[in-house]
């Protein structure tokens, strides 16, 4: 019996050539072979300690981000299946490693500048602030899944197809992507409030 030499996602895609080209996000996107898993369902308790979820495999974080809106909560096996199909579609359409495409999408989709509310005694004004790398990753995952969810709602396309489209468009930086549009809007508002 021969054992597998390297851990591949769904036994198909290698983590070896995956590279995060944004230095700021390298510590917060767990895509190195050290955090490689076969199935993005580790059942580890990443929420017990602050910043622990930065060590969660990035594909698993995408799976968890899909399990929102009441009727989907707790259905992790369903979310894993959706992500698996979406990665298959990305691989067929782009002929690249889908994990690399996902990492690039997260780098592009996270806003770099945001605005916060500053004020006391009823006077509230917005103040532009820089976004931490950790929040950029969180926000990118949230926007990507939100875009896929709204695109597939009351639509003939499956959630997997919509998620695949969203990830591909975000990785190209295309303005048809929901997450890129939102990010541009957030950064534009922040720029006006500098």
């Amino acid at each position: 019996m021969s054992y597998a030499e390297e851990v591949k996602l769904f036994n198909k895609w290698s983590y070896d050539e995956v590279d995060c080209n944004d230095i700021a996000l390298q510590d917060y996107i767990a895509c190195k072979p050290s955090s490689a898993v076969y199935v993005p369902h580790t059942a580890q308790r990443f929420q017990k300690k602050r910043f622990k979820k930065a060590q969660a495999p990035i594909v698993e974080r995408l799976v968890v981000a899909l399990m929102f809106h009441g009727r989907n909560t707790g259905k992790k096996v369903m979310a894993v299946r959706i992500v698996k199909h979406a990665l298959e579609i990305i691989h067929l359409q782009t002929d690249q490693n889908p994990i690399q495409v996902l990492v690039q999408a997260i780098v592009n989709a996270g806003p770099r500048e945001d605005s916060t509310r500053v004020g006391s005694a009823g006077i509230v004004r917005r103040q532009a602030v820089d976004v931490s790398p950790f929040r950029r990753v969180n926000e990118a995952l949230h926007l990507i899944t939100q875009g896929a969810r709204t695109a597939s709602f009351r639509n003939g396309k499956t959630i997997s197809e919509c998620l695949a489209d969203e990830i591909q468009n975000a990785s190209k930086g295309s303005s048809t992507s929901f997450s890129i549009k939102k990010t541009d809007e957030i950064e534009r508002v922040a720029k006006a409030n500098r």
Side-chain angles (χ1 to χ4, degrees), residues 33-137:
S34 55
S35 57
V37 286
Y38 283 111
V39 181
H41 192 319
T42 57
Q44 293 183 43
R45 298 185 301 191
F46 291 109
Q47 78 283 14
K48 287 289 175 195
K49 204 167 174 196
R50 194 176 175 201
F51 299 126
K52 184 91 189 299
K53 64 181 180 183
Q55 280 129 44
I58 195 65
V59 184
E60 182 166 10
R61 293 205 57 196
L62 179 70
V63 167
V64 173
L66 278 172
M67 295 195 296
F68 277 92
H69 279 297
R71 57 186 187 167
N72 303 323
T73 47
K75 301 183 184 175
K76 193 164 185 180
V77 175
M78 182 177 84
V80 169
R81 197 195 69 231
I82 289 167
V83 169
K84 184 179 180 180
H85 290 331
L87 295 181
E88 292 269 14
I89 293 167
I90 291 170
H91 179 64
L92 287 171
Q93 288 180 343
T94 62
D95 215 29
Q96 291 172 290
N97 185 341
I99 309 172
Q100 178 63 61
V101 178
L102 173 65
V103 169
Q104 194 53 49
I106 290 168
V107 169
N108 291 348
R112 290 173 289 279
E113 195 180 16
D114 202 348
S115 50
T116 184
R117 294 174 56 149
V118 174
S120 57
I123 303 150
V124 175
R125 52 184 280 270
R126 312 291 297 250
Q127 173 66 41
V129 288
D130 293 336
V131 179
S132 73
F134 190 46
R135 182 169 162 81
R136 270 179 68 187
V137 175

